[in-house]
Amino acid sequence: MSDTKAIPCSEAVRQLWDYLDHAIQPEDQEKVEKHLSFCRRCCGELEFAKEMRAFLATSTAEEIPPYVKERLERFVERL
Amino acid sequence: MHAESVIAMSEAGVRDPTKEAFQELVLAELPALYSLARRLVRDGAEDLVQEALLQAFRGFATLKEDAAAGRWLKTILVNVFRDQLRKRSRTVDERPMGDLDDFSLYRTLVDEDPFPYSDTLHLDFLQGFDSEDLREVLIRLPDIYRIPLVLRYMDGFATKEIARLMDAPLGTILARLHRGRRLLEREMWTYAQEAGLLTKERAEDE
Ligand SMILES: [Zn+2]
């Protein structure tokens, strides 16, 4: 196997979110996966990237205060 | 004229099915719209929602199917917000915020080890943030980074769609997302220290 696909940690980390988004070129994906296959630290970064994404996606919606909801409802009714 | 038919009439004197359909669709979406607005602006979320509702009502005919109402309304809200930003003639603030490129929240947490007895250090850190904490962090980020982050990772918009909404090339949005994630992580770390999220005894009785 050639090592032309080797990339440093900084490069792997830079691509992790795009990698998780499947928004990465196939050859870059290969490079990231190769790097992850031997780099523990970047595997940790990957896990954390997944946790961050889940955290953002599931963070509870900003609660709408009842009086604001009421005002907006009245606003809609008067349109 | 019967009393009950008067109720169903608009000022113009004719029953307005469009208006009723609009109201019915929109009322269910108010909480989600308000939530998005709160993540986009520090103050004035309610005004932003009102302006979006006005424009949505004017453009109600452009809504293709009712099931898409939520996304359609959010898109309008983002458009209104973008126009407001432009009107304030705020030049796009793309100056770098310090040296970011080597900041890693993952590594910072490993190195600083704020919860020495935890096996799930990183998750514990994230779980320390409630939605108000997260909002405070988001609001501190410059608009050009916050908007794509909120739309992409909290509201699930595709990057292409964000590029269209923000009227910017896809590459620009990808770069801002990248930088925005770094900024978000650094700001979360700073905020956690300021707000005492790193100590067990977070003042809950205050
Ligand atoms: Zn690595």
Side-chain angles (χ1 to χ4, degrees):
Chain A
M1 217 184 246
S2 79
D3 56 4
T4 52
K5 284 181 183 152
I7 49 170
C9 291
S10 58
E11 178 68 16
V13 167
R14 210 176 58 76
Q15 305 223 37
L16 281 182
W17 282 58
D18 292 336
Y19 173 71
L20 290 171
D21 272 342
H22 308 290
I24 182 174
Q25 299 298 318
E27 68 261 31
D28 289 329
Q29 175 170 342
E30 237 177 283
K31 287 177 189 168
V32 169
E33 280 168 356
K34 176 139 193 285
H35 185 93
L36 289 170
S37 72
F38 63 75
C39 181
R40 251 183 90 110
R41 194 175 80 180
C42 285
C43 287
E45 292 270 9
L46 178 71
E47 276 315 298
F48 184 57
K50 286 183 190 166
E51 287 165 4
M52 271 290 282
R53 290 158 65 92
F55 165 69
L56 292 176
T58 60
S59 96
T60 42
E62 291 286 328
E63 203 73 35
I64 182 167
Y67 56 92
V68 174
K69 187 154 180 274
E70 224 170 272
R71 278 204 299 260
L72 286 172
E73 282 169 358
R74 250 180 290 141
F75 182 79
V76 171
E77 276 154 21
R78 284 175 195 168
L79 279 174
Chain B
M1 199 184 279
H2 297 294
E4 54 266 40
S5 58
V6 173
I7 294 166
M9 300 220 174
S10 68
E11 290 101 306
V14 268
R15 192 177 166 280
D16 191 345
T18 315
K19 192 166 162 178
E20 283 173 19
F22 178 78
Q23 289 169 350
E24 199 178 323
L25 267 184
V26 152
L27 287 181
E29 301 294 340
L30 286 181
L33 267 188
Y34 182 76
S35 179
L36 174 58
R38 285 266 298 166
R39 285 166 174 164
L40 292 177
V41 294
R42 180 178 284 281
D43 306 302
E46 190 176 346
D47 289 344
L48 180 55
V49 172
Q50 286 194 358
E51 187 57 39
L53 289 170
L54 269 176
Q55 297 210 4
F57 185 55
R58 282 185 211 129
F60 189 35
T62 64
L63 176 63
K64 302 248 163 36
E65 46 180 329
D66 292 1
R71 182 48 58 99
W72 175 72
L73 285 165
K74 282 180 179 176
T75 303
I76 292 170
L77 187 132
V78 174
N79 276 321
V80 171
F81 177 52
R82 188 203 53 211
D83 291 346
Q84 286 179 354
L85 287 180
R86 281 191 188 145
K87 261 190 218 134
R88 272 183 258 155
S89 74
R90 217 192 277 174
T91 42
V92 172
D93 183 7
E94 209 128 10
R95 91 193 120 85
M97 291 180 63
D99 191 13
L100 264 181
D101 287 332
D102 51 358
F103 182 83
S104 155
L105 180 54
Y106 170 77
R107 256 183 295 137
T108 303
L109 287 168
V110 173
D111 294 345
E112 304 285 332
D113 200 12
F115 311 114
Y117 302 106
S118 170
D119 300 329
T120 53
L121 169 64
H122 293 86
L123 266 183
D124 288 359
F125 176 81
L126 293 179
Q127 279 162 4
F129 284 78
D130 64 24
S131 65
E132 272 309 304
D133 295 321
L134 177 58
R135 172 173 190 259
E136 185 53 39
V137 171
L138 286 169
I139 287 295
R140 290 180 182 186
L141 304 180
D143 296 323
I144 60 160
Y145 300 113
R146 184 178 64 257
I147 301 165
L149 280 178
V150 167
L151 295 179
R152 178 72 193 92
Y153 297 112
M154 302 180 83
D155 275 282
F157 280 78
T159 38
K160 269 188 209 156
E161 208 176 344
I162 298 170
R164 201 173 46 76
L165 279 170
M166 302 317 294
D167 209 3
L170 183 61
T172 304
I173 296 300
L174 290 174
R176 287 178 189 171
L177 278 171
H178 178 69
R179 196 165 185 79
R181 291 190 298 257
R182 282 285 146 96
L183 272 174
L184 172 67
E185 291 193 359
R186 195 184 63 180
E187 215 46 56
M188 281 175 77
W189 174 245
T190 307
Y191 178 86
Q193 290 169 298
E194 288 171 11
L197 301 189
L198 302 179
T199 51
K200 273 271 183 298
E201 315 76 35
R202 190 181 176 198
E204 278 169 17
D205 44 9
E206 271 178 1

